[in-house]
């Protein structure tokens, strides 16, 4: 049994019989020293338990590992332009909105249509009409299973890539003229408004995400509907379905650092890096995704700054899904002045 002996300032063991008590009275410091060694040994055993993770309480007290990316901003705000269009039963509807695409046989066929736009941006930084689009029957993907640009273009191939299968040319848009109105202010055809989105850095990561299902405003709206109740007004179900959205950004390329940009959503989405098409999700379809690994763009030079232009269209009821994931440090570029509501 142990007790504290104030005369020697340590814990000592209490005698359990007369002989021990006599011996302890003759040499109290000796017995105090023995007791101290016993306490030290017990403390070491407790420390060993904590070090080996046997004790849950000891493990719980350990501090969480530091965030290696804490120096990066918590959020990135990207400024864009949304343009509203009328469709269907509305007055002066646009022919590309609330329209079902047609496949190569002339039959109505929703789906992913590649090749609607050219592989290079036009001189004014807008997509250029290339064809009616080729319905994608099976998506291209890399060795990791990530879906990628159906038509290789200038995206370098890698071992394990699987090519897409596509139908012959169909009709996912009405004409070159109708497409030219999507991302330009046209009196009597569309009206525009500035719309920003906020990408949030995931904890312990350099990845930034905007997701309509995570963003407080859009989650409450039931999807990415930035123009609800505005401009030409809602179409049905309390939602404004027919609009386009564009963002102009820049970033610094860091070779070998694993920079990627991924989009998941519907409908049409085109992404251009340095004016080159790198994501092609044209057509009227459910949520689809594609990823571009920046190291596949072999003309990029380490440390140089490049443009990334993003184009999106919501063309049909009943959903609007929108998710961006990227490790790029994107910065907004100046957008053109907004057009007022014409008519």
């Amino acid at each position: 049994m142990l007790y504290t002996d104030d005369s020697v300032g340590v814990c000592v063991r209490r005698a359990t019989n007369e002989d021990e008590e006599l011996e302890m009275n003759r040499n109290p410091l000796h017995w105090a020293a023995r007791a101290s060694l016993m306490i030290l040994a017990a403390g070491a055993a407790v420390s060993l338990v904590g070090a080996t993770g046997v004790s849950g309480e000891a493990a719980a007290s350990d501090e969480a590992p530091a965030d290696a990316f804490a120096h990066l901003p918590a959020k990135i705000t990207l400024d864009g332009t949304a343009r509203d269009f009328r469709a269907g039963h509305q007055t002066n509807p646009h022919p590309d909105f609330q329209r079902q695409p047609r496949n190569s046989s002339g039959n109505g066929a929703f789906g992913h249509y590649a090749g609607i736009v050219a592989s290079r941006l036009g001189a004014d930084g807008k997509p250029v009409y290339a064809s009616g689009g080729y319905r994608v029957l099976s998506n291209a993907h890399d060795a990791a299973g990530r879906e990628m640009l159906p038509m290789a273009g200038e995206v370098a191939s890698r071992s394990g890539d699987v090519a897409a299968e596509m139908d012959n040319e169909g009709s996912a848009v009405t004409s070159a003229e109708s497409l030219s109105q999507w991302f330009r202010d046209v009196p009597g055809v569309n009206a525009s408004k500035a719309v920003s989105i906020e990408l949030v850095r995931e904890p312990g990561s350099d990845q930034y995400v905007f997701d309509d299902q995570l963003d407080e405003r859009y989650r409450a709206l039931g999807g990415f509907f930035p123009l609800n109740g505005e401009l030409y007004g809602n179409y049905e179900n309390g939602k404004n379905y027919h609009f386009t959205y564009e963002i102009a950004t820049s970033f610094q390329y860091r070779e070998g650092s694993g920079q990627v940009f991924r989009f998941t959503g519907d409908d049409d989405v085109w992404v251009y890096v340095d004016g080159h098409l790198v994501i092609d999700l044209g057509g009227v379809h459910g949520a689809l995704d594609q990823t571009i690994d920046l190291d596949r763009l072999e003309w990029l030079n380490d440390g140089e700054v490049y443009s990334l232009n993003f184009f999106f269209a919501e063309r049909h009821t009943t959903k609007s899904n929108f998710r961006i994931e990227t490790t790029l440090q994107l910065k907004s570029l100046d957008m053109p002045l907004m057009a007022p509501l014409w008519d």
Side-chain angles (χ1 to χ4, degrees):
M1 185 179 298
L2 298 179
Y3 73 101
T4 302
D5 188 339
D6 294 334
S7 64
V8 293
V10 295
C11 289
V12 297
R13 181 170 170 273
R14 187 178 301 278
T16 58
N17 55 51
E18 293 182 359
D19 291 338
E20 253 189 10
E21 183 175 4
L22 179 61
E23 180 63 25
M24 291 174 68
N25 289 334
R26 289 175 181 173
N27 195 354
L29 290 179
H30 168 75
W31 285 95
R34 286 181 60 182
S36 296
L37 288 174
M38 292 169 63
I39 292 171
L40 288 173
V46 171
S47 297
L48 180 60
V49 168
T52 56
V54 174
S55 170
E57 293 181 0
S61 66
D62 292 341
E63 293 184 2
D67 184 350
F69 302 97
H71 62 286
L72 297 177
K75 299 177 181 179
I76 295 175
T77 299
L78 300 179
D79 302 322
T81 301
R83 292 180 174 85
D84 197 13
F85 295 81
R86 289 168 292 205
H89 54 70
Q90 295 174 312
T91 303
N92 192 25
H94 191 281
D96 291 335
F97 292 82
Q98 202 61 22
R99 171 187 186 269
Q100 185 177 23
R102 296 187 178 276
N103 60 21
S104 62
S105 301
N107 299 319
F110 291 111
H112 177 194
Y113 286 75
I116 296 172
V117 297
S119 62
R120 298 286 185 93
L121 283 177
D124 62 350
K126 306 291 185 178
V128 176
Y129 176 88
S131 74
Y134 300 81
R135 192 165 186 263
V136 178
L137 305 177
S138 66
N139 293 306
H141 60 82
D142 64 15
R146 298 180 301 183
E147 296 185 1
M148 51 188 285
L149 189 71
M151 298 177 171
E154 296 181 69
V155 177
S157 61
R158 294 286 188 269
S159 175
D161 287 352
V162 175
E165 295 182 15
M166 291 181 288
D167 192 5
N168 294 322
E169 184 177 355
S171 176
V173 296
T174 306
S175 66
E177 180 183 3
S178 67
L179 179 68
S180 71
Q181 299 170 341
W182 288 20
F183 303 105
R184 295 176 176 87
D185 291 335
V186 183
V189 173
N190 60 35
S192 57
K193 177 187 175 181
V195 172
S196 298
I197 60 173
E198 192 172 71
L199 281 64
V200 179
R201 186 173 68 85
E202 295 188 325
S205 168
D206 61 347
Q207 177 167 274
Y208 288 85
V209 174
F210 172 85
D211 189 329
D212 67 89
Q213 297 181 37
L214 299 177
D215 182 272
E216 183 176 353
R217 176 193 175 192
Y218 293 108
R219 184 174 66 248
L221 291 174
F224 186 65
F225 296 104
L227 299 180
N228 266 15
E230 300 185 64
L231 302 181
Y232 291 135
N234 298 341
Y235 184 75
E236 62 181 35
N237 301 327
K239 294 180 172 59
N240 188 338
Y241 287 99
H242 307 109
F243 63 92
T244 64
Y245 184 52
E246 68 171 304
I247 306 171
T249 73
S250 67
F251 68 94
Q252 184 178 42
Y253 174 58
R254 294 180 286 110
E255 185 177 356
S257 66
Q259 289 178 316
V260 296
F261 184 98
R262 179 186 183 188
F263 179 81
T264 304
D266 61 280
D267 290 303
D268 312 79
V269 170
W270 299 297
V271 178
Y272 289 80
V273 169
D274 193 33
H276 301 254
L277 183 65
V278 297
I279 285 180
D280 183 354
L281 286 171
V284 180
H285 49 73
L288 298 174
D289 76 277
Q290 276 183 26
T291 300
I292 178 61
D293 177 348
L294 277 293
D295 285 333
R296 285 186 176 235
L297 309 182
E298 295 183 338
W299 73 88
L300 300 183
N301 295 313
D302 187 32
E304 295 292 324
V305 175
Y306 295 95
S307 62
L308 184 148
N309 293 83
F310 176 90
F311 301 92
F312 169 90
E314 174 54 45
R315 289 205 276 155
H316 205 286
T317 54
T318 61
K319 294 183 178 180
S320 182
N321 299 288
F322 192 110
R323 177 180 172 91
I324 289 174
E325 304 167 56
T326 185
T327 55
L328 297 173
Q329 297 292 301
L330 296 172
K331 296 182 179 179
S332 283
L333 300 178
D334 291 337
M335 297 295 294
L337 296 174
M338 303 300 101
L341 181 60
W342 299 91
D343 298 341

